[in-house]
Amino acid sequence: MTPDVLLYLAAGLGAAVLLGTALAAFRRRTGGRPFERPINRVVDTRTLSPLVRSRVAGEFAPAEQPEVELLLAQYDDLEIERVQLAILRLAKGQLADVARHVAAAREDYRDVLYWASYYEDDPHRLLRELLTHLEESELVTRDDARSVLRATRGGLYADAFEKLCEILLRKETRFTREIYQRVERLGTIVHQPEQLWTRLEKNVVETS
């Protein structure tokens, strides 16, 4: 090998060693990857704000509240109350989702704030979730779902929403009030005229 090649190899090996050392130090400081850091069972949950504690009391069963508070208290970085409230909003009363979003916040709290502020109203996600639910409930076929998705144009969902309403009307699909509310929410987010989905209300099956 030429001296230049040997020099490049030595420099590359040195960089690899430094990187490995830095990663090892990072793992020692964080206890592993952020998602793998153990829960501190002795954390003081009294640091939670009154608003956060009130939300926990209103959204979770009494038996789950201590665990939810313990999980929320694991996040103690920036904008603590705002992030904890965002986690509760995303979790929607599900203990497992609290744990998942706390882990995400410990990695990068901005992800959780983004999801809570914008992801909830993302039309693409809402449309896909609605179509998946309708398909799994055998209210539309896979071909129906694909035809709706094909009707999207870039970031515009007006045609796709209209196609979905057309399919549900044509099939005289019977569905629950919860599905109707999903359709209504999507129509509102994509700024479609209300009459598009109000025609579907006659197909709602009220459950006791």
Side-chain angles (χ1 to χ4, degrees):
M1 295 185 183
T2 65
D4 287 344
V5 172
L6 290 173
L7 182 60
Y8 288 138
L9 286 174
L13 181 60
V17 170
L18 287 174
L19 179 60
T21 303
L23 286 173
F26 173 78
R27 290 192 179 97
R28 284 195 299 272
R29 287 197 307 271
T30 62
R33 291 176 55 198
F35 275 77
E36 297 171 349
R37 278 184 282 171
I39 293 176
N40 180 4
R41 291 281 166 185
V42 296
V43 71
D44 188 359
T45 59
R46 291 174 299 179
T47 58
L48 299 177
S49 73
L51 179 55
V52 170
R53 296 172 71 89
S54 173
R55 293 282 178 84
V56 171
E59 296 174 16
F60 292 87
E64 292 181 327
Q65 290 171 19
E67 183 71 12
V68 173
E69 291 185 354
L70 180 65
L71 287 168
L72 290 172
Q74 305 301 309
Y75 179 78
D76 57 358
D77 198 355
L78 300 174
E79 300 190 62
I80 295 175
E81 182 184 67
R82 185 183 174 200
V83 172
Q84 290 170 341
L85 290 172
I87 289 168
L88 290 173
R89 181 182 176 189
L90 291 166
K92 295 184 174 64
Q94 299 298 313
L95 179 58
D97 285 340
V98 174
R100 184 162 59 86
H101 287 108
V102 166
R106 292 171 77 182
E107 183 172 13
D108 192 333
Y109 75 97
R110 294 168 298 181
D111 287 340
V112 171
L113 293 179
Y114 171 78
W115 294 334
S117 300
Y118 304 106
Y119 184 69
E120 286 289 285
D121 292 335
D122 176 33
H124 184 71
R125 181 183 68 86
L126 292 174
L127 177 61
R128 280 191 171 274
E129 286 183 355
L130 177 56
L131 288 172
T132 298
H133 186 68
L134 290 170
E135 191 178 336
E136 289 176 348
S137 303
E138 299 183 346
L139 298 175
V140 301
T141 67
R142 178 160 295 186
D143 286 341
D144 290 332
R146 286 173 176 168
S147 69
V148 170
L149 289 173
R150 281 197 298 269
T152 60
R153 298 184 178 182
L156 302 177
Y157 295 85
D159 292 346
F161 181 78
E162 188 173 350
K163 182 75 172 176
L164 173 62
C165 291
E166 174 195 317
I167 289 171
L168 294 176
L169 277 172
R170 174 166 43 84
K171 289 176 171 285
E172 297 187 351
T173 304
R174 311 292 287 176
F175 42 77
T176 63
R177 174 67 58 180
E178 186 265 338
I179 290 178
Y180 177 79
Q181 289 171 343
R182 285 195 187 195
V183 174
E184 181 179 44
R185 183 182 175 203
L186 180 60
T188 302
I189 288 172
V190 299
H191 307 295
Q192 289 304 287
E194 190 174 337
Q195 59 266 27
L196 271 179
W197 67 80
T198 52
R199 294 178 297 166
L200 297 171
E201 193 163 15
K202 64 183 177 61
N203 295 337
V204 171
V205 177
E206 300 292 352
T207 56
S208 56

